[in-house]
Amino acid sequence: MCGITGWVSFHTFHTDPRAQAPVIEAMTAALAPRGPDASGVWLGGHAAIGHRRLAVIDIAGGVQPMTNHQDSSDSPATVLSYSGEVYNHHELRSELRKLGHRFRTRSDTEVVLRAYAEWGEGLAERLDGMFAFAVWDEREQRLLLVRDRLGVKPLFWATVDGGLAFASEPKALFAHPEIRPRVDADGLREAYSLLFNTGPTVWSGVREVEPGGLLVLDRDGIRERRYWQLRADAHTDGQGATVERVRDLVSTAARGQLEADVPLCSLLSGGIDSTVLTSLLADELRLREGPDARVRSYAVDYSDQAERFTGDVLRTGHDTPYAIEAGAFIGTDHSTVVLDPMALLDLEHRRAVVVARDSPIGVGDMDTSLYLLFGEIRRHSTVAVSGEAADEVFGGYPWFHSPKALAARTFPWLLVTGDEAAMPLNPELKLGIGEFRDDTYRDALAAVPHLDEETPAEHRQREMQHLSLTRWLRQLLHRKDRLSMAQGLEVRVPYCDHRLVEYAFAAPCALKSFDGREKSLLRAASKGLAPDSVLHRPKNHYPATHHPDYNRGLQALARDALAMPQVRALADETRIKPCLDTPPERLEWGHRLRLERVVDLALWLEHYRPELAF
C-alpha cells in the first residue's frame, strides 16, 4: 500500500522539467505516512509523478514510480505510480508472459505496468483487488487514472493550468501552487448532509475518481467512464446452492488476500464478520506453513468498558469476551489493545486524525481509538485483514429489516445518525441541506438497477442494499483507509471482492433472511468457522467509551472550540449549548457526537486555514 501523486500540464514544464522538482517532491512528501519505506519521483516533458511506498510484496523489486524501460533505452517512457494490491497478479503475469512480456520483478506493480502496455485502459476490467493508480504514457501524451470497483483505495484530482493534478489524499494536492484549500457552500453541504456522494468533496475544485471508474487526460481534454457498477442479475440458485456459493466466494477472497512479504494479522472484534475471515486465514496459514502456524489477531477495548458498558442505538454488548472466545476457538495469537478513555481527549491524537481524514467529518472518539489501535498493531504487523463490508453485502444493518426504515423516503442511516449526531450549522448560511438530501435521494434511487419481475418488497430491498454499498460503505472504507495509512498499516477487506458483492446483490431478499434474521447467508455459510455464540450474536458496532470523565473532557474541548470566531460563524450555538449543559453521565450518544464534530471542526480550521468562500 502506498501514496501516489503527480500532475500533467500541456502548458507548463517546457524545456527544463527539473524546475518542477521542488513541487512534486513537496506533493510526495505530504503522503509520507502512507509510504514510510521509500520515496521516488519521475519528471518528464509534461508530467511529474511521485510515489511513497509501503513495501508489502517484493521488497527489493517493487520500487516506484516504475517505468517500462527494461534497459537504458531513451525511448518514450510509460510511468506507473500505483497503490494497493492486485490479488490475481500471478494469473495475469502468466497470461502476459505468453503474450511475450518479460518481467524484471515479482511485484504486482510490474504486472499492472505490463498489463497497460498490452491492454491500455482495458486493463481495469482484468484486475481483481483494491487499487488506485496513475499511468503516464509519454508516447501517447496521455494520463490514465484508475480506481478499484468498490472504492477501497482513494484517488483525488483537481484541474491545473493545461491539465490536472492527482493524489491519494487532498493534502498532497494542496502542495501544488495552483491548488489551495478552499471551501464553499457546496462543499459544506456535501460534508454535513452525510449523504456520502462520490465525486465532489468538501474542498472546492477537488473531486474523487469514481469507484469502478477511470479518468483519461490527453490533449483533447478530460474523459471519465465507469468500467464497473452493480447490476441487477437474475439469481437462479436455490438456498442450498446459494449458501455453498457464498462460502466458496468468501473463502476464495479471504485466502487470496494472505500474500505478503511482511507480517500480517487479522482484526478480530468478536462479531461474525471478522471471526469468519480470521478462521479462514488461520486455516490457510496452517496449510501453507504447517499445523503450528498461528495468525495474530487484535481487538480494541477501553479500560472502563467492563464496568461501565451501557447499550445504545449502535451497541448491544461488550465485544472483548466474544473476541477472546473466537480467538481461542480458531487458535490465534490474540491480543486486546486496551485504551485509556482519557487518551482520546489528547489534542495531538485528535489533530492527527483530522489531518489523516482531510475532513471535519468523522465519528469522534471512534476515529481516535481506531487510529491508536492501528498504531499499536503497526508495531508488530504491516498488513491487517478486516471484516468491513459484510453488513452491506449480506444485509446486516437494522434498516434492512425495520418497517420504519423501509417506509421512510430518505437515506436509512439518517434515521440512526440524523440531526442529533450531525453538527448543526448556522442557519444564516442557508445551505438548504434538507432540500439537498431530498434531491440527492431521488437521484440515488434512479441509479438503482432492477429486474422487471421484482415484487415491491424485493424492489425496496434492492434499493436499500444499493444505497448501502454505493454510499454508506464508501465512508467506512474512507475511514479505514485514511486512519490505517496514517499509521503506515495496510488494511485488506475481503468482503469487498467484486464477485462476492455481485453474487450477493443478485440474491433475492428472502434468501438473505431465510432464518428470520439478518445475514442468513453468511451465518449458514460459516458453520464450523466460528463459535455458536458468535454466529448468533446480534449486530454490534465499533465500541465507544462510556466514561463520564471522557464526556466531561469533551464538553470542555467543545467550549474551547466555540471560542474560535470561525467555528461560531459555522455552528449553530443554540443547538449545541444543551449538549454542553447536560450532566456528563447523561450525555447521549447522538449529542456527544455533535460535540465531537464541533471539536474536529476547530482542529480542521486551525490546521488547513481554508479560504471560506460563502
Side-chain angles (χ1 to χ4, degrees), residues 228-243:
W228 181 90
Q229 52 191 330
L230 286 168
R231 306 185 308 268
D233 295 329
H235 186 88
T236 58
D237 292 342
Q239 179 177 311
T242 300
V243 169

Side-chain angles (χ1 to χ4, degrees), residues 89-99 103 111:
H89 70 99
H90 294 295
E91 295 85 351
L92 290 173
R93 183 186 298 266
S94 297
E95 184 177 357
L96 288 164
R97 276 181 172 150
K98 291 176 182 176
L99 293 169
F103 288 84
V111 171

Side-chain angles (χ1 to χ4, degrees), residues 48 88 95 105 141 158 160-161 214 254 292 334 385 411 422 424 504 531:
N88 64 333
E95 184 177 357
T105 74
Q141 295 285 282
V160 296
D161 180 36
L214 58 82
D292 295 330
H334 186 71
V385 178
F411 294 96

